[in-house]
Amino acid sequence: MAKLYDLEPMIMDCWRVCNDLETVFKQIGDGEREPTHDEMMNTLMGMQQLYEWKFEQLFFKYEQVMKSSSDADKDDSTLKKIE
């Protein structure tokens, strides 16, 4: 059963996109050599795909948490009716 706290590490992992972009900026501006056009395109396309997967996985986990929460609420209301 997915819990709300299961989302935190996944959300934090998605924030790494900012650090990854900073690395790209540093390589362009301060690296020993400037990346070629192909290197930049490959890097950015790879980052795009990677973060699409990360956000898909995060949203899937979010849906699991919402379903678990909804199921727990239904169970609680059923117990209250029985009592």
Side-chain angles (χ1 to χ4, degrees), residues 4-13:
L4 188 58
Y5 58 79
D6 294 332
L7 291 174
E8 183 178 0
M10 296 179 80
I11 291 169
M12 297 309 294
D13 191 41

Side-chain angles (χ1 to χ4, degrees), residues 12-34:
M12 297 309 294
D13 191 41
C14 288
W15 275 108
R16 289 189 187 153
V17 69
C18 297
N19 297 47
D20 293 342
L21 287 171
E22 184 178 357
T23 300
V24 173
F25 297 149
K26 284 180 181 178
Q27 184 62 34
I28 293 170
D30 298 332
E32 286 189 36
R33 66 173 184 81
E34 187 172 330

